[in-house]
Amino acid sequence: MLVTAGPTREHVDPVRYLTNESSGKMGFAIAAAAARAGHAVTLIAGPVTLATPRGVRRIDVVSARELLAVCQREFRRCDALVMAAAVADWRPVKKLAAKWRAKDSGAERTTLLLARNPDVLATLTRGRRSASKTVIAFALETGAGVARAKKKLAKKGADWIVLNDPSALGGERTSVTLLGANGEHIELRDRTKSAVARSLVELLGSV
Ligand code: CTP
């Protein structure tokens, strides 16, 4: 089983970057639950401060493009992918080799030109032979979630999508809605991330 977790970091210069609020806790809980259930698990982690779950093979990445490169190598060998990583959609067009010195220009305003990052999940599923692997995507939505998540489920070629909201960020508990490609709709309310992780691993075991 391949699990991705945590944010990506998109550097502006050697000491500054764009990122997001993902803690990685949900993805790490899934990797831990899968390993406890006897699966061989590879966890691809963005920059987080979490300990590697027992029995899990971990690969650390920083940027979305690194995540894509490692996923492309590892996806071929897996039976299931759980894409919990919060991939940054944008990166600075240029990473400066030395520190960006604000005072040198004397400017009070500036702009940062951004380039679109690859959609890791959509890139992986594009080449997927149908039904040979099970893919679970995540969607973090701020309102009108179900309709948007259903669209993402189809667009990203996933079998399931786990819908959650920003209240889950950083915490130990979460409420999620699991939406399946065959119309399934399962609500898991106010559970620990470990409990949600166990449910997802059971779901993968049952397909
Ligand atoms: N994802 C990805 N590559 C990206 C962005 C997202 O692989 N560049 C994956 C995430 O890991 C997640 C799913 O796609 O499993 C949905 O991510 P989300 O950020 O909610 O969707 P986006 O497609 O980025 O849409 P938006 O930010 O516009 O809501």
Side-chain angles (χ1 to χ4, degrees), residues 4 64 67 83-89 117-122 136-141 148 152 155-156 161:
T4 69
L67 176 66
M83 193 74 200
V87 188
D89 284 320
N117 268 332
D119 188 316
V120 176
L121 184 53
I136 301 186
F138 272 69
L140 183 81
E141 303 291 350
R148 289 185 74 90
K152 279 182 192 171
K155 208 174 84 191
K156 305 224 176 192
I161 195 156

Side-chain angles (χ1 to χ4, degrees), residues 25 28 33 47-48 57 71 74 81 85 89 95 121 134 141 147 149 169 188-189 193 200 204:
K25 284 180 183 167
F28 273 61
V48 292
R57 170 176 169 251
C71 280
E74 298 293 326
L81 166 68
D89 284 320
K95 178 182 171 184
L121 184 53
T134 306
E141 303 291 350
L169 287 166
L188 303 175
R189 293 278 140 231
K193 289 184 176 176
L200 286 174
L204 281 170

Side-chain angles (χ1 to χ4, degrees), residues 165-186:
D165 69 66
S167 66
L169 287 166
E172 300 302 326
R173 301 184 77 83
T174 187
S175 293
V176 302
T177 306
L178 311 183
L179 301 169
N182 297 323
E184 301 93 334
H185 185 126
I186 302 167

Side-chain angles (χ1 to χ4, degrees), residues 28 70 78 107 109 111 113 126-127 150 152 154-155 194 204:
F28 273 61
V70 176
C78 77
R109 287 184 172 201
T111 54
L113 197 59
R126 212 172 288 145
K150 279 185 178 163
K152 279 182 192 171
K155 208 174 84 191
S194 295
L204 281 170

Side-chain angles (χ1 to χ4, degrees), residues 75-159:
F75 185 62
R76 278 180 235 139
R77 307 197 270 153
C78 77
D79 298 316
L81 166 68
V82 182
M83 193 74 200
V87 188
D89 284 320
W90 301 97
R91 67 174 182 276
V93 164
K94 211 167 76 180
K95 178 182 171 184
L96 300 175
K99 265 183 78 185
W100 185 1
R101 305 270 176 200
K103 289 164 205 83
D104 287 359
S105 73
E108 289 301 320
R109 287 184 172 201
T110 189
T111 54
L112 184 62
L113 197 59
L114 302 176
R116 269 296 281 279
N117 268 332
D119 188 316
V120 176
L121 184 53
T123 307
L124 296 175
T125 56
R126 212 172 288 145
R128 180 164 73 122
R129 283 213 306 277
S130 62
S132 59
K133 296 177 196 289
T134 306
V135 173
I136 301 186
F138 272 69
L140 183 81
E141 303 291 350
T142 51
V146 172
R148 289 185 74 90
K150 279 185 178 163
K151 274 197 198 131
K152 279 182 192 171
L153 173 68
K155 208 174 84 191
K156 305 224 176 192
D159 301 293

